[in-house]
Amino acid sequence: MSTEVRVRYAPSPTGHLHIGNARTALFNYLFAKNLGGKLIIRIEDTDSKRNIETGEESQLRYLKWLGIEWDESIDVGGEYGPYRQSERNDLYEKHYNELLQKGLAYKCYCTSEELEAEREAQIARGEMPRYSGKCRNLTDEERAALEAEGREPSIRFAVPAGKTYTFNDMVKDDVSFESDGIGDFVIVKKDGIPTYNFAVAVDDHFMKISHVLRGDDHISNTPKQLMIFEAFGWEAPVFGHMTLIVNENRKKLSKRDESIIQFIEQYKDLGYQPDALFNFIALLGWSPKGEDELFSKEQFIEIFDANRLSKSPAVFDSQKLVWMNNQYLKNLDLDEVVQLAVPHLEEAGRISKDRSAEEEEWVRSLVALYQEQMSFGAEIVDLSELFFKEEITYDEEASAVLAEEQVPEVMGELASQLEALENFESAEIKKAIKAVQKQTGHKGKKLFMPIRVAVIGQTHGPELPNAIEVLGKERVLARISKLSN
């Protein structure tokens, strides 16, 4: 095993970057960078039927968007390439032939129908289904006869009998598997393509991977990979299996669970900040010392300690992510927030794509009203709805405010004060509201709540003088006038 820390994230180009896979990549990145090591991105593309054309590019693009950087891969090269499994077939072929020659693997001619029948019979007998090994000791004549029938063989690894495989897991401590519970497994399919467990072990060895940090769902693969390492006399990497991510009902996060947005691309499209998502994912199954929850990428690299990986499932708290992203948005430059919000206003038909300089400034002012409140870019559409309505519908709470006895007096004076303004700007509007207070004697909630409800249609919202400025003089006066009719 290499003395240098070398870790890998090895996606299949079968779809978009899922939150669980992003966490695997992120933890490997933090682990490597904290220890001065390297992150390798390896594309496991041997399942050609499931690969999609844009899968590889999508994985890399959204890893970069999150802020994850790597040292070796298909795009940056490296001395241990190629970094696509589909381009490493010569290496796999050499090594599975070596196992065949040593009698550590064998050709299996069983059909899928025969394997299914065997499996069903084992289940019927109450046995754990696994391959019986019936092709393990075929004679040359028996193999020749099966090939004469036109059968294409797969290659199976001959699992040693009566052996215990134990490894010290970075998360789970000592883990053991009995070889007798693992049937001889396929290492090369009938089409000549190596299977996951074989290719991964070969690649990890030749790419000098020192640590394998991955999801808990891979732990049953580990003994099979340890067998491959042992068969070749290679030293195995250190394994660590992160606990599962679960939803708020403590159920395993499923891609069919529509209560949670699960793909990084979706978060980008909704106007989330990559730094916020990086921060949130880094706390899914890992915890720093102390109570702080907001860290920069550089801070995470400095403090990351694999010993603090959780042994309990990581709960995906959607509300916490919303809160966290809001913290990041509040600290952004306004122009950056505008860039996040504008595409959503355009898509909703609220603003045109070809805007004048005056319209551009109005949009900027609109977004500024909600920067403190916004949790993600797309939220601007719902938050700012009142600025695009001709008619206001007052709910029960708002109607109760407008029914208070002082409201006609306040509205009448407000209309007079606003009508007289030459510069309809927030500072002047604030003075006008103070003048209403002076003229009517009403203050506090008796003054501000009716104005807010009458003009905005809500009992809460953005800073009142700023909101009135963005609404514009004509629209505000029209809303006040309508109340008195």
Side-chain angles (χ1 to χ4, degrees):
M1 184 175 69
S2 170
T3 55
E4 178 186 40
V5 170
R6 289 175 57 83
V7 297
R8 45 81 167 175
Y9 168 63
S12 300
T14 56
H16 303 292
L17 181 59
H18 184 262
I19 201 89
N21 292 336
R23 182 185 70 161
T24 297
L26 193 151
F27 280 3
N28 275 284
Y29 169 73
L30 292 177
F31 179 76
K33 296 307 168 189
N34 175 265
L35 296 171
K38 291 182 178 178
L39 171 64
I40 293 85
I41 304 288
R42 185 172 72 218
I43 305 298
E44 297 185 347
D45 61 344
T46 55
D47 193 348
S48 57
K49 292 178 182 177
R50 294 181 60 229
N51 295 343
I52 64 172
E53 186 177 348
T54 58
E56 186 179 284
E57 187 269 338
S58 176
Q59 286 277 335
L60 298 183
R61 186 189 342 153
Y62 289 103
L63 287 173
K64 286 178 182 175
W65 179 79
L66 270 177
I68 296 172
E69 301 149 324
W70 47 91
D71 301 282
E72 300 172 26
S73 190
I74 57 172
D75 56 338
V76 295
E79 61 180 303
Y80 298 102
Y83 293 93
R84 289 186 188 91
Q85 283 190 335
S86 59
E87 298 171 4
R88 299 172 65 83
N89 281 330
D90 289 348
L91 181 66
Y92 303 140
E93 184 175 5
K94 173 186 174 184
H95 285 83
Y96 65 67
N97 279 327
E98 182 180 331
L99 292 180
L100 285 171
Q101 291 163 9
K102 290 180 176 178
L104 299 175
Y106 60 91
K107 292 182 178 179
C108 171
Y109 297 86
C110 295
T111 64
S112 56
E113 292 80 11
E114 289 170 341
L115 292 172
E116 183 59 30
E118 181 178 274
R119 173 184 170 82
E120 289 177 0
Q122 288 171 333
I123 292 172
R125 294 193 300 268
E127 300 172 1
M128 180 70 72
R130 62 189 181 93
Y131 182 60
S132 64
K134 64 180 181 180
C135 289
R136 189 168 183 167
N137 298 307
L138 293 175
T139 63
D140 291 341
E141 292 76 13
E142 287 170 327
R143 278 193 289 272
L146 290 167
E147 288 175 6
E149 293 178 18
R151 295 196 184 202
E152 292 290 337
S154 60
I155 298 174
R156 289 182 182 271
F157 184 80
V159 173
K163 190 161 185 175
T164 301
Y165 286 86
T166 300
F167 60 96
N168 185 258
D169 191 276
M170 294 164 64
V171 180
K172 299 176 176 297
D173 299 323
D174 286 340
V175 179
S176 294
F177 288 88
E178 300 299 327
S179 66
D180 290 346
I182 303 170
D184 294 350
F185 55 94
V186 175
I187 59 172
V188 183
K189 294 178 282 188
K190 293 179 187 293
D191 60 6
I193 302 297
T195 59
Y196 170 79
N197 282 310
F198 180 74
V200 161
V202 172
D203 288 344
D204 284 348
H205 172 72
F206 283 99
M207 291 184 179
K208 299 188 182 300
I209 300 302
S210 64
H211 296 76
V212 173
L213 188 57
R214 57 189 178 186
D216 193 52
D217 51 336
H218 279 287
I219 198 162
S220 61
N221 290 320
T222 307
K224 295 177 182 179
Q225 291 164 24
L226 289 173
M227 292 176 195
I228 301 296
F229 278 97
E230 181 184 66
F232 288 112
W234 299 335
E235 185 178 355
V238 177
F239 289 95
H241 293 88
M242 299 172 289
T243 56
L244 298 174
I245 302 174
V246 297
N247 63 21
E248 290 168 26
N249 296 318
R250 305 278 171 171
K251 302 283 188 182
K252 179 183 175 183
L253 201 61
S254 161
K255 291 180 181 179
R256 293 184 294 276
D257 184 351
E258 296 182 358
S259 67
I260 292 175
I261 300 168
Q262 298 194 36
F263 294 95
I264 302 303
E265 181 177 357
Q266 292 173 292
Y267 285 104
K268 180 179 183 295
D269 290 347
L270 283 169
Y272 276 78
Q273 272 293 101
D275 290 350
L277 206 56
F278 187 106
N279 194 149
F280 176 77
I281 294 172
L283 299 177
L284 279 176
W286 180 85
S287 61
K289 295 177 181 178
E291 301 299 320
D292 291 342
E293 294 186 295
L294 299 177
F295 300 93
S296 67
K297 181 171 73 172
E298 291 71 26
Q299 288 172 320
F300 271 119
I301 289 172
E302 184 178 343
I303 65 176
F304 189 82
D305 179 358
N307 291 321
R308 297 190 65 83
L309 286 166
S310 175
K311 298 181 188 298
S312 303
V315 179
F316 192 102
D317 185 342
S318 299
Q319 290 307 306
K320 182 175 179 179
L321 174 55
V322 167
W323 168 82
M324 191 172 282
N325 203 66
N326 171 255
Q327 303 306 303
Y328 278 80
L329 285 188
K330 285 194 289 192
N331 291 314
L332 278 185
D333 181 81
L334 176 58
D335 288 335
E336 294 180 86
V337 182
V338 171
Q339 288 178 6
L340 289 173
V342 158
H344 302 285
L345 290 170
E346 289 177 346
E347 187 179 350
R350 297 281 172 81
I351 59 175
S352 63
K353 292 188 177 181
D354 300 315
R355 295 182 292 279
S356 66
E358 185 180 359
E359 288 173 316
E360 199 70 58
E361 189 56 36
W362 182 84
V363 171
R364 195 171 186 276
S365 298
L366 175 70
V367 175
L369 284 177
Y370 291 103
Q371 179 169 358
E372 285 289 313
Q373 191 178 346
M374 271 174 61
S375 296
F376 51 93
E379 198 175 28
I380 191 66
V381 175
D382 289 338
L383 288 174
S384 65
E385 184 180 14
L386 67 97
F387 290 90
F388 302 95
K389 278 184 171 182
E390 292 302 323
E391 301 285 333
I392 295 180
T393 303
Y394 299 107
D395 62 19
E396 187 176 336
E397 185 182 8
S399 298
V401 170
L402 295 176
E404 293 173 4
E405 59 180 1
Q406 84 283 9
V407 170
E409 183 183 8
V410 170
M411 290 300 112
E413 185 61 32
L414 179 66
S416 298
Q417 292 291 339
L418 295 180
E419 183 73 58
L421 290 180
E422 290 186 15
N423 295 323
F424 203 75
E425 297 174 352
S426 60
E428 297 302 311
I429 293 166
K430 191 172 184 178
K431 291 177 186 177
I433 294 173
K434 282 188 175 181
V436 173
Q437 177 181 328
K438 186 176 180 180
Q439 291 296 323
T440 64
H442 298 298
K443 58 186 180 179
K445 285 184 69 175
K446 291 291 184 181
L447 173 69
F448 292 104
M449 192 62 80
I451 295 175
R452 180 177 291 282
V453 170
V455 175
I456 298 178
Q458 301 170 345
T459 55
H460 54 84
E463 187 73 23
L464 188 55
N466 296 342
I468 290 174
E469 178 188 338
V470 173
L471 275 167
K473 188 172 185 177
E474 183 179 339
R475 181 173 289 182
V476 169
L477 291 174
R479 290 181 176 181
I480 294 171
S481 174
K482 187 165 185 182
L483 278 179
S484 59
N485 293 335

